[in-house]
Amino acid sequence: MTAINAVTDLTTDGELGVITIDSPPVNALSADVRDGLAGAMAAAVADDAVKAIVLICAGRTFIAGADISEFGKPPRGAALHDVQARIENSPKPVVAAIHGTALGGGLEVALVAHYRVAVLSAKFGLPEVKLGLLPGAGGTQRLPRVVGARKALEMVTTGTPIGAKAAAEFGLIDAIVDDLRAGAIHFARRVLAENLPLHRVRDKPVLGVEEGMFDAYRRAQAKTFRGFEAPEANIQCIEAAATLPFDEGMAVERRLFMGLMTGLQSKAQRYVFFAERQANKVDGLDPDAPLLPVKSVGVIGAGTMGGGIAMNFLNAGVPVTIVETRQEALDRGVATIRRNYDNTAAKGRMTAADVDTRMGLLTPTLDMGALKDADLVIEAVFENMDLKKDIFGRLDGIAKPGAILASNTSYLNVDEIAAATSRPDHVLGLHFFSPANVMRLLEVVRGAKTDGQVLATAMATAKTIGKVAVVSGVCHGFIGNRMLEQRQRQAMALIVEGALPEQVDRVLFDFGFPMGPFQMSDLAGLDIGWSAETSKGETIRDRLCEAGLRGQKNGRGFYDYDAQRNRTPSPVAEKIILDYAAEKGVNRREVSDAEILERCLYPMVNEGAKILEEKMAQRASDIDIVWINGYGWPVYRGGPMFWADSVGLAKVAEALGRYGIAPAALLARLAAEGKSFTGAV
Ligand code: 3HC
Ligand code: NAI
C-alpha cells in the first residue's frame, strides 16, 4: 500500500490499482482529497503493473460533494477540473465504486470515470441548487449526456437524488453489485478481459431534446422557483448542453457558476446548510452522552395538532397511544389521520399496506391510564393553563419514572406547567407547527429545570422524525411566535395608517414569503381565541368576527374567497378598517412599499436581538432556522438575522428609531461597532 497523503491511498490487487479516499465524515472534496486523488491517479498511471483503476471511498459514503466550508475562501490544492481531466483522460480504465451518496462534485467525479458500479442503497444527485448553486464541475454537461435532457433538467433544478435502480435504468451506473469492493474489482477485471473501451461521457450526444422543452419547463415550475436565481441558471446550463459543443457548454457552466457563487443567495443558502446542522447541537451538552429510550409515545388530545404529531411517530415506526375525553372527538381524530394517509396513498406516495402498518401502530383510548408505559407523552389539548396544569398533575401520577412529559403549548409558561408535576426535570415544551406532520420545524422549549439528558433525547427524537429542532428558552411565544407578534402588530397598524391588507400582503409575498400576514390570518381563522361573549368590538379583529368574517373557513375574511379559494379584497373588511381609522381620528396617508417592508421585518429582527440578549435562543442562526422552517421565510434570504446583517445593522437601527421603536441593546451595540449577528455575510 502507498499512502498518497493523509486521506488517500493506493493499493494494488493483481493488475488493478485501487484508490481509496478516507476523509470523514462524508469524503467531501477538500484540498487534501483533491491533492490525494491527483497524486493517486498520477501514481497509478505511472505504474506499469497497473492496468485498470478502481476508485472507492471508505466510511459511510462515496464523495458527497465539494467541501462547502471551502467556498468563498482563497483556492488551495489541486483544481477539481484538473483532477477530473486526469481521470477522464487516463489511458487506463477507471471504475468508480459508489456507496452512500454520490452528490454534487462526488457525482461529477464519478461521471469522469469510464465506468460506474454501485451498491443497491447508493444515491446519486446534483443538489447544488439547494445551495443556490449549479454543478460547477461539468455535471450540467455530462449528466444530460447520460440520463437525457429531461431527467437531467429535473435532477439539477430540484436537487433530488435518484436511487441505484433508477440510476441503472438511466445508464448512470453500469452495474449494481452486492459487495462494493469485490464487485468493483470483478467489474474492472471484466473490462480488461473483454477489452472494453474507455467510455468518456463527454463524447456522447445529449438525447431527448425536444423543441420548446426548456420554456415549457420554466412555465411549469415558475411557482416553485419563484424568487430563486439558481434554478434558472441550472436550466440555462442544460440548455447549453443540448445546443452547444461540450467545451462551449462547459464555458457557460463556468460563467453561470461563478455568478451564483459570488451572489448573496448562495451565500445565504450555504449559511443555512450549516445553520441547520448547528441548530441540533446544544451548547454545554455532551453529544456522546447516553439518551433516554423513546420506543413508545403517548399523545393527549386528538385535535388539529395531536393527530399531526401522532403521524410523525407512526411514520417512524413508533407506536402511539392517543387519548381524548370524548369518543366522538377520538373517532374524529383517528378518522382524520386515516384520511391523510389514504390521500397520500391515493397519490401513489405510500402503499395501502403502509397505511395499514401505520394505523396498526395507533392505539386510540379515552383512558389516560393507558399512558403508563409511554417513554414520551406529548400534550396537545386546548391552549388553557388550568387545563394543562390539571393534565400534567394527573399525568405525573400515571407516567412511569423516567418518562419525558412534553407540552405542545404555543405561548404558555412551560415552567408553570412543569411545576404541576413532581418531576419538572422531565418536562419540556415540544412546539410543533401546523400541519404537524408536514412542517419541519420543532421548537424544543427548555424549562428552567429541564434535565440535560431529557433535552438531548428530545433533540435526537426530533431528528428521528425528520424535524429540524431548535432550542428555545421559556418566554411568551418562544422564538417564532414571539417575533411573529411584532410583525402582526405592525401589519395591523399599517392598515389603520393608510395601507390596505392586499398591499401589505403583496409586499411580503414579493419579498419571498408564500403569503402575507392577512392571507395567513384568513387561513388560520380570524376567530382563533375570539369569542362572541367576550368580544368588546374594540379591535379590527373583533369587528371582523362580529360581522361574521371568519377567514377562509367561511369564505369571508380580509378577502372574499370563491369555491376554488381564489381571493379578492373584501369590501366589508375594507369598510371596517376605514371606519375604524376614522373613529380613531387617523388621517390616512399613502404608505410606501418600502415602509411596509421595513416596519414588518425590522421589529422582528429587533425582537430577535432581544431573544438573543435574554439567551432565549442559543445563537442568531437558530432564529433563522425557526423562521425558514416554521414561517416560510425565503431560504435565499438566509432568515431574519442573516438578512438584517446583509442590509446592515446600522441601517436597521436607524430605521427602527425613525419609526419610534427603540433598538434592542444588542442591536444598537453591534450597529455602533459595525458588527453583525451571524458573522456570515
Ligand atoms: N462539505 C462540507 N461539509 C459537509 C458536506 C460538504 N459537502 N456535507 C456534509 N458535511 C458535513 C456536515 O456539515 C456535518 O458536519 P457536522 O457533523 O460538523 O455538523 C457532517 O458532514 C455530516 O453531515 P450530515 O449531518 O448532513 O449527515 P447526514 O448523514 O445526515 O447526510 C449528506 C449526509 C447526505 C451527505 C448531507 O450531509 C448532504 O446533503 N451534504 C451536502 C451534499 C451537497 O450539497 N453536495 C454538493 C456540494 S456543492 C458541489 O459539490 C459543487 C460542485 O458542483 C463543484
Ligand atoms: P384542537 O382544539 O384542534 O384540539 C384539542 C383537542 O384536545 C380536542 O380534540 C379536545 O377534545 C382535546 N382535549 C381537551 N381536553 C382534553 C383532555 N383533558 N384530555 C384529552 N383530550 C383533551 O386544538 P389544537 O389546535 O390542536 O391545539 C392544541 C395545542 O397545540 C394548543 O396548546 C395550541 O396552542 C397548540 N398549537 C396549536 C397550533 C395550531 O396551529 N393549531 C400550532 C402549534 C401549537
Side-chain angles (χ1 to χ4, degrees):
M1 185 186 89
T2 318
I4 303 291
N5 67 5
V7 296
T8 318
D9 64 47
L10 174 65
T11 53
T12 46
D13 187 320
E15 70 286 38
L16 299 180
V18 179
I19 299 173
T20 307
I21 297 172
D22 186 2
S23 180
V26 297
N27 291 312
L29 286 162
S30 60
D32 274 356
V33 169
R34 296 193 306 273
D35 284 343
L37 254 176
M41 277 305 299
V45 169
D47 184 344
D48 287 339
V50 170
K51 303 294 180 216
I53 300 160
V54 170
L55 169 58
I56 193 166
C57 291
R60 69 209 233 202
T61 179
F62 189 75
I63 302 166
D67 186 336
I68 306 168
S69 63
E70 279 186 0
F71 289 179
K73 300 198 180 132
R76 277 193 313 128
L80 182 53
H81 283 85
D82 294 339
V83 176
Q84 288 177 295
R86 278 182 193 276
I87 299 173
E88 191 163 53
N89 300 327
S90 155
K92 303 171 183 179
V94 180
V95 178
I98 300 166
H99 73 299
T101 45
L103 300 178
L107 182 56
E108 291 173 301
V109 166
L111 279 167
V112 292
H114 306 108
Y115 294 93
R116 287 161 291 281
V117 302
V119 289
L120 189 59
S121 57
K123 290 199 163 59
F124 309 81
L126 293 173
E128 284 85 344
V129 73
K130 296 185 187 167
L131 300 169
L133 291 172
L134 55 85
T140 65
Q141 303 306 299
R142 290 193 181 87
L143 187 66
R145 286 178 158 79
V146 179
V147 304
R150 162 136 313 265
K151 187 68 193 170
L153 196 53
E154 191 186 301
M155 284 177 72
V156 296
T157 54
T158 64
T160 309
I162 61 173
K165 227 169 130 242
E169 279 161 19
F170 279 108
L172 182 55
I173 53 176
D174 301 287
I176 295 178
V177 297
D178 289 331
D179 180 292
L180 186 63
R181 191 186 158 95
I185 286 176
H186 179 77
F187 190 94
R189 292 223 158 93
R190 206 187 101 205
V191 171
L192 290 177
E194 296 178 19
N195 205 10
L196 298 179
L198 296 172
H199 280 306
R200 295 200 316 171
V201 169
R202 57 176 286 152
D203 299 332
K204 295 179 168 197
V206 176
L207 299 179
V209 181
E210 286 161 31
E211 181 74 27
M213 70 183 288
F214 297 103
D215 283 334
Y217 190 71
R218 284 184 176 95
R219 279 194 300 276
Q221 303 297 325
K223 204 172 152 208
T224 318
F225 296 159
R226 182 177 73 95
F228 288 91
E229 289 162 4
E232 172 57 26
N234 274 279
I235 296 174
Q236 286 179 21
C237 285
I238 304 294
E239 218 169 352
T243 51
L244 299 174
F246 182 82
D247 288 322
E248 286 176 39
M250 286 295 282
V252 171
E253 182 189 271
R254 182 97 299 243
R255 177 171 54 78
L256 295 176
F257 179 82
M258 291 318 291
L260 292 176
M261 181 61 106
T262 49
L264 191 56
Q265 287 204 349
S266 175
K267 188 173 261 188
Q269 288 178 257
R270 282 179 271 138
Y271 157 82
V272 171
F273 176 86
F274 288 113
E276 192 172 308
R277 283 155 182 81
Q278 183 77 1
N280 203 267
K281 302 184 173 97
V282 184
D283 291 342
L285 285 190
D286 172 6
D288 299 321
L291 302 174
L292 295 166
V294 179
K295 296 210 164 58
S296 62
V297 168
V299 174
I300 308 179
T304 310
M305 295 306 290
I309 291 168
M311 288 176 75
N312 284 299
F313 292 96
L314 301 176
N315 295 344
V318 178
V320 175
T321 301
I322 192 160
V323 188
E324 262 290 348
T325 40
R326 288 168 302 118
Q327 189 64 42
E328 187 199 332
L330 188 61
D331 291 345
R332 198 174 341 113
V334 172
T336 305
I337 295 176
R338 173 167 277 282
R339 195 173 56 246
N340 280 335
Y341 281 138
D342 284 342
N343 287 343
T344 308
K347 287 181 198 143
R349 286 196 264 122
M350 186 186 266
T351 65
D354 291 336
V355 178
D356 288 343
T357 309
R358 285 173 173 71
M359 292 308 290
L361 289 169
L362 183 66
T363 309
T365 175
L366 297 177
D367 172 20
M368 237 171 85
L371 300 176
K372 67 181 171 38
D373 297 323
D375 294 319
L376 164 66
V377 180
I378 305 171
E379 164 277 314
V381 305
F382 307 127
E383 184 78 341
N384 176 306
M385 181 55 99
D386 290 338
L387 175 61
K388 297 212 193 248
K389 278 184 173 164
D390 172 60
I391 289 194
F392 274 77
R394 282 157 55 201
L395 199 52
D396 193 27
I398 294 168
K400 66 183 181 189
I404 300 177
L405 312 182
S407 173
N408 182 49
T409 178
S410 309
Y411 292 95
L412 299 175
N413 186 320
V414 172
D415 290 331
E416 200 178 329
I417 296 173
T421 73
S422 64
R423 40 175 139 173
D425 53 339
H426 276 64
V427 178
L428 46 56
L430 288 180
H431 185 211
F432 289 80
F433 287 70
S434 181
N437 54 318
V438 178
M439 297 295 287
R440 286 184 78 215
L441 179 65
L442 180 64
E443 280 181 331
V444 177
V445 186
R446 178 184 207 164
K449 297 193 174 152
T450 306
D451 176 73
Q453 194 182 25
V454 170
L455 184 64
T457 304
M459 300 306 281
T461 304
K463 214 170 171 186
T464 321
I465 59 172
K467 300 290 177 201
V468 186
V470 172
V471 180
S472 170
V474 176
C475 57
H476 186 75
F478 315 119
I479 297 171
N481 283 344
R482 179 170 161 181
M483 289 167 69
L484 180 66
E485 210 162 276
Q486 297 297 326
R487 191 180 84 177
Q488 292 299 92
R489 178 175 305 156
Q490 293 296 328
M492 290 309 285
L494 283 161
I495 59 172
V496 176
E497 289 170 40
L500 284 172
E502 59 269 28
Q503 187 192 1
V504 176
D505 283 350
R506 175 179 48 75
V507 169
L508 289 171
F509 178 81
D510 288 347
F511 180 79
F513 281 100
M515 64 180 87
F518 296 100
Q519 274 175 275
M520 201 176 106
S521 299
D522 274 0
L523 185 66
L526 297 178
D527 56 347
I528 286 197
W530 177 86
S531 88
E533 294 79 51
T534 55
S535 180
K536 297 200 185 80
E538 276 173 1
T539 63
I540 290 180
R541 201 270 289 256
D542 281 352
R543 293 179 188 188
L544 294 169
C545 288
E546 285 171 9
L549 275 58
R550 294 283 184 272
Q552 273 201 25
K553 64 176 115 172
N554 75 343
R556 306 175 66 209
F558 287 105
Y559 300 89
D560 289 328
Y561 297 86
D562 68 13
Q564 283 75 46
R565 293 207 194 152
N566 296 312
R567 67 200 154 82
T568 42
S570 158
V572 178
E574 181 171 338
K575 182 162 188 316
I576 288 174
I577 294 164
L578 297 183
D579 288 351
Y580 180 89
E583 207 181 292
K584 300 277 169 197
V586 176
N587 193 2
R588 283 174 64 87
R589 64 187 167 91
E590 193 162 317
V591 178
S592 73
D593 288 358
E595 177 177 346
I596 290 176
L597 196 69
E598 291 184 344
R599 281 193 44 201
C600 285
L601 302 188
Y602 289 175
M604 277 177 44
V605 170
N606 202 36
E607 197 65 30
K610 291 181 190 168
I611 287 171
L612 282 174
E613 275 167 19
E614 295 166 22
K615 302 207 181 329
M616 291 295 144
Q618 297 191 90
R619 36 186 105 84
S621 62
D622 281 12
I623 296 176
D624 288 334
I625 293 305
V626 165
W627 269 80
I628 288 167
N629 293 288
Y631 301 84
W633 182 285
V635 62
Y636 55 79
R637 294 194 199 273
M641 308 315 272
F642 177 95
W643 175 73
D645 285 347
S646 74
V647 168
L649 297 189
K651 190 171 166 208
V652 175
E654 178 276 320
L656 281 166
R658 204 164 4 98
Y659 297 124
I661 299 168
L666 176 64
L667 173 56
R669 178 169 64 75
L670 293 175
E673 292 172 358
K675 291 192 179 146
S676 70
F677 290 121
T678 65
V681 179

